[in-house]
Amino acid sequence: MSSCDQCVVRNRAICSALDKDEINSLNGIGRRRSLVAGESLIWEGEDSVLVANVIEGVLKLSTGTEDGREQIVGVVYPSDFIGRPFGGTTNHGVTALTDARVCVFSRGDFDNFAREHPGLEHKLLQRTLTELDRTRRWMLLLGRKSASEKVASFLLELSDRLAPATCEPGDEGKANRFVLPFSRQQIADVLGLTIETVSRQFTRLRGEGIIDLPSRREVIITDRFALTAEAG
Protein backbone atom coordinates (compact mmCIF):
# COMPACT_ATOMS: atom_id res chain seq x y z
CA MET A 1 0.00 0.00 0.00
CA SER A 2 1.42 3.42 -0.97
CA SER A 3 1.65 6.37 1.40
CA CYS A 4 -1.02 8.08 -0.73
CA ASP A 5 -3.50 5.28 0.08
CA GLN A 6 -3.05 6.01 3.77
CA CYS A 7 -3.06 9.82 3.47
CA VAL A 8 -5.69 11.40 5.73
CA VAL A 9 -6.08 14.49 3.49
CA ARG A 10 -6.11 12.73 0.12
CA ASN A 11 -9.78 13.47 -0.53
CA ARG A 12 -9.34 17.19 0.21
CA ALA A 13 -5.88 17.92 -1.21
CA ILE A 14 -5.09 18.80 -4.83
CA CYS A 15 -4.40 15.14 -5.58
CA SER A 16 -8.13 14.40 -5.14
CA ALA A 17 -8.41 15.25 -8.85
CA LEU A 18 -6.37 12.14 -9.77
CA ASP A 19 -7.38 8.52 -10.32
CA LYS A 20 -5.64 5.57 -8.65
CA ASP A 21 -2.99 5.09 -11.36
CA GLU A 22 -2.22 8.82 -11.39
CA ILE A 23 -1.99 8.82 -7.60
CA ASN A 24 0.54 6.01 -7.78
CA SER A 25 2.59 7.98 -10.30
CA LEU A 26 2.48 11.08 -8.11
CA ASN A 27 3.47 9.01 -5.10
CA GLY A 28 6.58 7.97 -7.01
CA ILE A 29 7.92 11.53 -7.14
CA GLY A 30 6.94 12.62 -3.64
CA ARG A 31 8.27 11.96 -0.16
CA ARG A 32 7.00 12.50 3.36
CA ARG A 33 8.81 14.95 5.59
CA SER A 34 8.28 15.73 9.26
CA LEU A 35 8.85 19.22 10.66
CA VAL A 36 9.18 20.30 14.26
CA ALA A 37 7.63 23.57 15.43
CA GLY A 38 9.86 26.44 14.31
CA GLU A 39 11.48 24.53 11.45
CA SER A 40 11.42 26.21 8.03
CA LEU A 41 10.45 24.44 4.82
CA ILE A 42 10.74 27.30 2.32
CA TRP A 43 12.77 30.51 2.61
CA GLU A 44 11.66 33.90 1.31
CA GLY A 45 13.42 35.11 -1.82
CA GLU A 46 14.96 31.77 -2.79
CA ASP A 47 14.36 29.93 -6.05
CA SER A 48 11.25 27.80 -5.99
CA VAL A 49 12.68 24.29 -5.73
CA LEU A 50 9.89 22.40 -3.96
CA VAL A 51 6.15 22.32 -3.42
CA ALA A 52 4.18 20.39 -0.82
CA ASN A 53 0.82 19.24 0.50
CA VAL A 54 0.21 19.72 4.22
CA ILE A 55 -0.80 16.44 5.86
CA GLU A 56 -0.78 17.38 9.53
CA GLY A 57 -0.03 20.52 11.50
CA VAL A 58 -0.19 24.24 10.89
CA LEU A 59 2.42 26.39 9.14
CA LYS A 60 2.85 30.13 8.74
CA LEU A 61 3.64 32.16 5.64
CA SER A 62 5.81 35.13 6.55
CA THR A 63 7.87 37.89 5.00
CA GLY A 64 10.48 40.25 6.38
CA THR A 65 9.87 44.00 6.63
CA GLU A 66 12.45 46.68 5.83
CA ASP A 67 13.17 47.21 9.54
CA GLY A 68 13.88 43.52 10.06
CA ARG A 69 10.60 42.48 11.65
CA GLU A 70 8.58 39.45 10.59
CA GLN A 71 5.10 39.90 9.13
CA ILE A 72 2.91 36.82 9.05
CA VAL A 73 0.88 36.98 5.85
CA GLY A 74 -1.03 33.71 6.08
CA VAL A 75 -1.52 30.35 7.76
CA VAL A 76 -1.85 26.96 6.07
CA TYR A 77 -3.65 23.91 7.39
CA PRO A 78 -3.96 20.19 6.55
CA SER A 79 -4.81 19.60 2.84
CA ASP A 80 -3.45 23.03 1.83
CA PHE A 81 -0.90 23.29 -0.98
CA ILE A 82 2.26 25.34 -0.44
CA GLY A 83 5.02 26.48 -2.75
CA ARG A 84 5.18 28.08 -6.17
CA PRO A 85 4.74 25.71 -9.13
CA PHE A 86 6.14 26.58 -12.57
CA GLY A 87 9.18 28.53 -11.49
CA GLY A 88 9.98 31.89 -10.01
CA THR A 89 11.18 32.82 -6.56
CA THR A 90 9.23 32.45 -3.36
CA ASN A 91 7.68 35.64 -2.00
CA HIS A 92 7.42 34.39 1.58
CA GLY A 93 8.95 31.87 3.92
CA VAL A 94 7.06 28.81 5.18
CA THR A 95 7.70 27.72 8.77
CA ALA A 96 5.96 25.17 10.99
CA LEU A 97 3.95 26.73 13.82
CA THR A 98 3.30 23.27 15.23
CA ASP A 99 4.87 19.89 14.61
CA ALA A 100 3.80 19.02 11.08
CA ARG A 101 4.00 16.45 8.29
CA VAL A 102 4.08 17.39 4.63
CA CYS A 103 4.26 15.56 1.32
CA VAL A 104 7.11 17.21 -0.58
CA PHE A 105 7.76 17.24 -4.34
CA SER A 106 10.63 18.60 -6.36
CA ARG A 107 9.14 21.60 -8.13
CA GLY A 108 10.50 20.47 -11.51
CA ASP A 109 9.08 16.96 -11.15
CA PHE A 110 5.74 18.33 -10.00
CA ASP A 111 5.58 20.82 -12.88
CA ASN A 112 6.16 18.06 -15.42
CA PHE A 113 3.53 15.87 -13.78
CA ALA A 114 0.98 18.71 -13.70
CA ARG A 115 1.49 19.50 -17.40
CA GLU A 116 0.59 15.89 -18.22
CA HIS A 117 -2.50 15.86 -15.99
CA PRO A 118 -4.97 18.67 -16.79
CA GLY A 119 -7.18 17.70 -13.85
CA LEU A 120 -4.38 18.57 -11.47
CA GLU A 121 -3.71 21.87 -13.23
CA HIS A 122 -7.42 22.71 -12.91
CA LYS A 123 -7.30 21.91 -9.20
CA LEU A 124 -4.26 24.17 -8.83
CA LEU A 125 -6.18 27.01 -10.47
CA GLN A 126 -9.10 26.47 -8.11
CA ARG A 127 -6.75 26.54 -5.13
CA THR A 128 -5.08 29.71 -6.40
CA LEU A 129 -8.43 31.50 -6.63
CA THR A 130 -9.39 30.27 -3.16
CA GLU A 131 -6.10 31.55 -1.76
CA LEU A 132 -6.70 34.91 -3.44
CA ASP A 133 -10.04 35.19 -1.64
CA ARG A 134 -8.40 34.25 1.66
CA THR A 135 -5.68 36.83 1.14
CA ARG A 136 -8.27 39.54 0.65
CA ARG A 137 -10.02 38.51 3.86
CA TRP A 138 -6.66 38.42 5.66
CA MET A 139 -5.85 41.97 4.53
CA LEU A 140 -9.19 43.14 5.89
CA LEU A 141 -8.60 41.26 9.14
CA LEU A 142 -5.16 42.77 9.77
CA GLY A 143 -5.75 46.22 8.39
CA ARG A 144 -9.27 47.25 9.28
CA LYS A 145 -10.65 45.20 12.15
CA SER A 146 -10.48 45.93 15.86
CA ALA A 147 -8.81 43.60 18.35
CA SER A 148 -12.13 41.99 19.31
CA GLU A 149 -13.06 41.49 15.66
CA LYS A 150 -9.65 40.00 14.88
CA VAL A 151 -9.82 37.41 17.67
CA ALA A 152 -13.42 36.44 16.85
CA SER A 153 -12.64 36.16 13.13
CA PHE A 154 -9.58 34.08 13.89
CA LEU A 155 -11.56 31.63 16.04
CA LEU A 156 -14.19 31.27 13.33
CA GLU A 157 -11.47 30.65 10.74
CA LEU A 158 -9.97 27.94 12.94
CA SER A 159 -13.41 26.44 13.41
CA ASP A 160 -13.84 26.21 9.64
CA ARG A 161 -10.33 25.02 8.81
CA LEU A 162 -9.99 22.44 11.59
CA ALA A 163 -13.52 21.08 11.10
CA PRO A 164 -12.67 18.18 8.70
CA ALA A 165 -10.50 16.55 11.32
CA THR A 166 -12.41 17.46 14.46
CA CYS A 167 -16.08 18.23 13.96
CA GLU A 168 -18.80 15.72 14.77
CA PRO A 169 -21.62 14.73 12.39
CA GLY A 170 -24.30 17.38 12.24
CA ASP A 171 -21.98 20.31 12.86
CA GLU A 172 -22.34 21.40 9.22
CA GLY A 173 -18.63 21.64 8.54
CA LYS A 174 -17.84 23.68 11.65
CA ALA A 175 -15.78 22.56 14.63
CA ASN A 176 -17.48 23.93 17.73
CA ARG A 177 -14.82 22.29 19.90
CA PHE A 178 -11.16 22.21 18.91
CA VAL A 179 -7.62 22.35 20.23
CA LEU A 180 -5.72 25.52 19.38
CA PRO A 181 -2.56 24.78 17.37
CA PHE A 182 -1.18 28.12 18.62
CA SER A 183 0.04 29.58 21.88
CA ARG A 184 -1.36 32.94 22.95
CA GLN A 185 1.91 34.55 21.79
CA GLN A 186 1.61 32.93 18.36
CA ILE A 187 -1.97 34.16 18.05
CA ALA A 188 -0.77 37.64 18.92
CA ASP A 189 1.98 37.44 16.29
CA VAL A 190 -0.45 36.21 13.64
CA LEU A 191 -3.01 38.94 14.35
CA GLY A 192 -0.59 41.81 14.94
CA LEU A 193 -1.68 42.21 18.57
CA THR A 194 0.03 41.97 21.96
CA ILE A 195 -0.28 38.82 24.03
CA GLU A 196 -2.03 40.86 26.75
CA THR A 197 -4.70 42.01 24.29
CA VAL A 198 -5.28 38.47 23.05
CA SER A 199 -5.60 37.15 26.62
CA ARG A 200 -8.06 39.93 27.52
CA GLN A 201 -10.22 39.13 24.49
CA PHE A 202 -10.28 35.41 25.33
CA THR A 203 -11.22 36.19 28.93
CA ARG A 204 -13.97 38.58 27.83
CA LEU A 205 -15.45 36.11 25.31
CA ARG A 206 -15.50 33.43 28.00
CA GLY A 207 -17.04 35.82 30.54
CA GLU A 208 -19.83 36.68 28.10
CA GLY A 209 -20.56 33.00 27.49
CA ILE A 210 -19.57 33.11 23.82
CA ILE A 211 -16.74 30.60 24.21
CA ASP A 212 -15.52 28.24 26.90
CA LEU A 213 -11.88 27.43 27.65
CA PRO A 214 -11.64 24.04 29.42
CA SER A 215 -7.83 24.26 29.15
CA ARG A 216 -5.31 26.77 27.82
CA ARG A 217 -5.36 25.21 24.34
CA GLU A 218 -8.94 23.92 24.11
CA VAL A 219 -11.76 26.13 22.82
CA ILE A 220 -15.50 25.47 22.76
CA ILE A 221 -17.70 27.86 20.76
CA THR A 222 -20.88 27.99 22.84
CA ASP A 223 -22.62 30.82 20.95
CA ARG A 224 -21.64 30.83 17.28
CA PHE A 225 -24.16 33.53 16.39
CA ALA A 226 -22.66 35.92 18.96
CA LEU A 227 -19.10 35.09 17.88
CA THR A 228 -20.02 35.79 14.26
CA ALA A 229 -21.48 39.15 15.32
CA GLU A 230 -18.24 39.90 17.20
CA ALA A 231 -16.29 39.25 14.02
CA GLY A 232 -18.13 42.07 12.31
Side-chain angles (χ1 to χ4, degrees):
M1 181 178 293
S2 72
S3 58
C4 289
D5 292 327
Q6 300 171 314
C7 181
V8 295
V9 299
R10 174 179 168 181
N11 293 330
R12 309 196 313 271
I14 59 166
C15 43
S16 63
L18 305 176
D19 61 29
K20 184 175 181 179
D21 289 339
E22 291 170 328
I23 285 286
N24 289 334
S25 297
L26 184 64
N27 184 57
I29 63 171
R31 61 183 177 87
R32 297 289 180 94
R33 177 173 170 183
S34 296
L35 302 169
V36 298
E39 184 177 354
S40 292
L41 177 67
I42 296 173
W43 285 262
E44 179 185 5
E46 292 196 350
D47 290 340
S48 176
V49 296
L50 62 85
V51 295
N53 275 330
V54 181
I55 302 171
E56 294 178 3
V58 181
L59 300 92
K60 66 180 178 180
L61 312 179
S62 62
T63 185
T65 62
E66 290 185 358
D67 59 2
R69 292 180 294 116
E70 177 190 59
Q71 176 64 58
I72 297 175
V73 296
V75 180
V76 290
Y77 299 86
S79 80
D80 282 347
F81 183 80
I82 50 181
R84 189 180 181 89
F86 307 112
T89 57
T90 57
N91 296 322
H92 50 253
V94 180
T95 304
L97 278 172
T98 67
D99 290 348
R101 284 198 305 144
V102 295
C103 188
V104 178
F105 305 92
S106 159
R107 196 264 302 167
D109 289 343
F110 184 86
D111 289 356
N112 291 334
F113 185 89
R115 290 188 184 99
E116 297 171 357
H117 298 83
L120 184 61
E121 283 193 311
H122 180 68
K123 198 76 172 180
L124 280 170
L125 176 59
Q126 288 180 319
R127 286 296 175 107
T128 299
L129 295 174
T130 298
E131 286 304 312
L132 179 60
D133 289 339
R134 284 180 186 155
T135 299
R136 288 168 174 161
R137 292 197 301 270
W138 189 265
M139 291 173 65
L140 174 63
L141 174 68
L142 292 180
R144 304 290 294 179
K145 292 196 172 189
S146 66
S148 60
E149 290 172 332
K150 286 181 178 182
V151 172
S153 297
F154 187 70
L155 290 175
L156 289 171
E157 170 82 0
L158 282 174
S159 170
D160 293 344
R161 301 306 308 279
L162 296 176
T166 58
C167 70
E168 298 180 0
D171 281 346
E172 299 180 352
K174 313 292 182 183
N176 288 321
R177 184 180 189 129
F178 53 90
V179 175
L180 285 170
F182 308 88
S183 67
R184 296 288 192 271
Q185 184 61 63
Q186 287 172 328
I187 294 172
D189 291 343
V190 167
L191 297 180
L193 301 172
T194 65
I195 187 173
E196 293 80 10
T197 298
V198 170
S199 296
R200 282 197 299 269
Q201 292 302 322
F202 270 79
T203 299
R204 181 183 63 80
L205 290 171
R206 180 177 59 183
E208 295 178 4
I210 297 174
I211 65 172
D212 191 17
L213 303 169
S215 66
R216 190 157 182 80
R217 287 293 184 112
E218 191 173 8
V219 174
I220 300 174
I221 298 176
T222 53
D223 190 339
R224 181 172 290 274
F225 180 80
L227 188 63
T228 302
E230 281 277 340

